[in-house]
Structure formats: structure tokens, C-alpha cells
Amino acid sequence: MKQLKTFLLENNQGMSVEIMNYGARITSILFPVNGKSTEMTVGYASSEDYLTDDFYFGVTCGRVCNRIEQGKFELNGVYYQITQNDGEQSLHGGLDNFSTRFWQVNSSTKSSVTLSIESLDGDQGFPGKLNLQVTYQLTDNNQIEIDYFATTDAPTPINITNHAYFNLGEGNGQLLDVKIAASSMLERKDNGVPSGKLLPVENTDFDFRQLTNIGERQENTTDINIQEMACFDHCFVLDNTDITKPKAELVSKNNKVKMTVLTNQPAVQFYTGVALSGEFSAYQGVCLESQDYSNAVNIDHFPNTILTPDAEYNRKIIYQFDSL
């Protein structure tokens, strides 16, 4: 039987990150607040509880994160059906996705760990054998660098993200301020899948180009879509993919902590955690999931997400923590 393993990454600034081999996930980020090591994410107290996790806490999502409409797509004249686990949609890779598996540990040091997984041809209905590797590294600049690398032996869709829920030491993610460098977003249908239209955020409640309090925006919205959903769960198109440019920020004014997201991915899914329940509460954490456009495999004019045998998949996400 495979065993849960955790790896503690530490730097010389008093910050630490815990990585688990089940789901290749982040289970803890501790950052100093007023000299006290403080948890920045939402998660379970017991490692074993992650084996029955329904919320994707900190996981590596794949083969395709977010949603594939009706779990169907056509590739090179062949139609594929992926397992459906979100109504009629396929969410984060289907029923037995990468978050529900033990990953192989390739290497680990005091500051980094590399994990990998092999996904065989036909896995959840996807074509081709995919080899995916993720490296987490904690730097002395208080950056968590996440590097994804993948190859395939046949054309296949791929879209990998991290699904950590952040609260920056607050009891409720609604207390945080957010900023997203996005002038447009993907129009969202009732089933959670993009329609294919890009909508400008200007003069709407989806405009987060300036630092905005999440709770106030959500509670005072006049947008019918947000009111009906009682949350944000939308894909924002980033204004640029320069890895050195901040793509999003989360700020806790109470704890005087800022988290900056940097990525070379073209979009970010902003989710305010309405579905958290049980020992957790709705809105306890906020997700900023850097990724390619959702459902791109079914929308021709979206950027291509098909990996071919003659190419390599390389994506990077950085979570930068700073005291204010």
C-alpha cells in the first residue's frame, strides 16, 4: 500500500512550505506575522484527511484543470469522452484525476521537491501517454516557485494548475483584498463553462485591476450572475504573460501580508470558495488558479492547449510573500 509522505521546505527567512505526495499538493504555507509563524492556506489538521478531500486543497490539477464541457472533445477527427464529475462536465481531469493519486518522489532537498506521475493512454478517456513532473522550490526571497514539465507520445490536451486556498492567516477570505491584472474575462455559462466570448471587465463588478475588498464586492454586487452563484468562480484573461509582471495580488490588511502571483500562464481562475463545508466554512479561502483558458479544447479561437510528441509543456507559477 502506498504511503503518505510530506516534505518540509524551509528558508532562512522563517518561512516554510509542506508538500504531500498524494495529489502533489501544498498542505501548508507558514509565514511570519508579527514574529509568529502563521498559516497562509486552508487545509486539514491530519494528513490522512487529505485521502478523502473533496475540495482540491493545494493539489496539482490535471490532465486538464477547470472544466471540459460534457467531458467531450474532438482531436484530429477522433471524438473522446472523458469521465464526468461535475454534473455533465469533466472537472480538473475527471473522476480519478491527478489530485487523487500518489505521485512518485524524484528528489528532495531542504528547499525543493520534485514529483512525477505517468498517465497512460486512455486514462480517464484522454489520448496518449503523458509524463508530468512538478517541482516546488522555496527561495530565500519568500517565493514558492512551481514548475510544470510534461511530454506525451500522442497529441493530448493539457492544462495544469495549483489549487491552493489562501486566507493569509485570516479566518475568512472575504476579509482579503484582491487585484487581478486582467482587462477581460471569459463569459461563463450556467454550467460553469466558457461560452467562447471574451468580455471587458471595465465598469463591471469583475474589474479587479485596482486592489478591491473581496467581501464588499461580493456582498454589494449588482451582477445577477454573481448573486445567483453567491461567489466568484470565473476565468480572467491576463493582460500579459511576462513572468516578471505581477498577475494577481492578495492582501491581508490585518496581518500586513501580501501574496503576489506571477506566472507565464495566460489566465487565472478566481474562486472565492462558496462550496467549502463540513469542518470548513464557505469563503474560508480564496483560489487564484493560474492556467490556460478553460475548455479551450472545444473552442477553436482560444489559445491551443494540445501537447504534441515533438513539443514540451513548460509552465510556471510563483507565489511571492511579503510583509507590509
Side-chain angles (χ1 to χ4, degrees):
M1 183 177 177
K2 294 183 178 179
Q3 290 185 325
L4 286 174
K5 296 180 180 178
T6 58
F7 299 84
L8 186 65
L9 313 182
E10 298 177 291
N11 68 10
N12 60 15
Q13 304 296 319
M15 183 176 174
S16 67
V17 179
E18 187 178 76
I19 306 297
M20 179 181 283
N21 64 334
Y22 184 71
R25 71 178 74 213
I26 297 171
T27 55
S28 173
I29 299 173
L30 295 177
F31 184 73
V33 174
N34 297 321
K36 181 182 178 182
S37 194
T38 303
E39 182 60 59
M40 297 286 106
T41 65
V42 182
Y44 297 99
S46 169
S47 295
E48 285 72 24
D49 286 339
Y50 286 98
L51 294 172
T52 54
D53 169 39
D54 290 327
F55 303 118
Y56 300 94
F57 282 134
V59 301
T60 300
C61 296
R63 283 187 196 192
V64 175
C65 70
N66 218 317
R67 294 166 177 85
I68 296 176
E69 189 163 22
Q70 296 185 333
K72 297 178 180 179
F73 62 89
E74 180 268 329
L75 180 57
N76 297 331
V78 179
Y79 289 86
Y80 295 91
Q81 177 65 61
I82 309 305
T83 57
Q84 295 155 295
N85 58 336
D86 181 46
E88 293 184 342
Q89 321 330 313
S90 173
L91 176 65
H92 296 324
L95 277 172
D96 180 20
N97 56 68
F98 293 171
S99 72
T100 64
R101 303 185 193 180
F102 287 92
W103 290 52
Q104 178 178 329
V105 180
N106 293 12
S107 63
S108 64
T109 69
K110 177 187 174 184
S111 61
S112 71
V113 61
T114 297
L115 307 101
S116 63
I117 195 168
E118 183 181 74
S119 176
L120 298 177
D121 178 40
D123 184 5
Q124 304 308 296
F126 288 104
K129 182 175 77 171
L130 182 80
N131 288 292
L132 173 63
Q133 176 178 290
V134 57
T135 298
Y136 291 96
Q137 180 167 2
L138 176 61
T139 74
D140 285 332
N141 295 322
N142 294 330
Q143 289 187 339
I144 304 168
E145 297 183 358
I146 311 175
D147 287 285
Y148 303 110
F149 173 81
T151 59
T152 183
D153 65 359
T156 190
I158 183 172
N159 190 5
I160 309 296
T161 193
N162 178 266
H163 204 291
Y165 290 75
F166 298 99
N167 60 14
L168 306 189
E170 301 275 14
N172 192 320
Q174 300 282 285
L175 298 173
L176 302 175
D177 293 347
V178 69
K179 182 178 180 181
I180 304 174
S183 301
S184 60
M185 58 176 287
L186 304 184
E187 184 180 53
R188 185 187 193 276
K189 300 194 292 185
D190 289 342
N191 61 5
V193 176
S195 68
K197 293 182 180 178
L198 269 67
L199 301 177
V201 302
E202 190 168 7
N203 298 320
T204 75
D205 285 339
F206 296 97
D207 191 345
F208 292 103
R209 290 175 294 176
Q210 302 297 322
L211 210 57
T212 303
N213 181 262
I214 295 172
E216 290 179 6
R217 175 64 60 85
Q218 193 165 285
E219 290 168 13
N220 298 319
T221 184
T222 57
D223 186 276
I224 300 299
N225 186 241
I226 303 170
Q227 290 176 348
E228 290 178 346
M229 293 172 59
C231 77
F232 288 93
D233 191 9
H234 299 79
C235 194
F236 289 78
V237 177
L238 297 171
D239 289 339
N240 69 75
T241 55
D242 182 343
I243 190 70
T244 66
K245 304 291 186 183
K247 303 306 187 301
E249 294 177 5
L250 275 182
V251 173
S252 165
K253 291 179 179 176
N254 292 328
N255 290 330
K256 295 182 171 53
V257 174
K258 177 174 75 170
M259 186 191 79
T260 304
V261 180
L262 303 105
T263 186
N264 57 4
Q265 305 249 53
V268 63
Q269 185 84 9
F270 176 49
Y271 174 51
T272 53
V274 67
L276 292 176
S277 59
E279 65 182 274
F280 305 100
S281 57
Y283 315 122
Q284 193 171 338
V286 172
C287 299
L288 288 165
E289 308 159 47
S290 302
Q291 59 190 257
D292 281 281
Y293 290 21
S294 178
N295 197 37
V297 70
N298 285 313
I299 302 175
D300 289 342
H301 60 271
F302 278 5
N304 180 42
T305 56
I306 303 300
L307 180 65
T308 56
D310 60 346
E312 296 176 345
Y313 177 86
N314 289 282
R315 296 291 190 275
K316 190 180 190 78
I317 300 171
I318 298 173
Y319 300 131
Q320 165 81 55
F321 286 83
D322 294 288
S323 298
L324 298 176

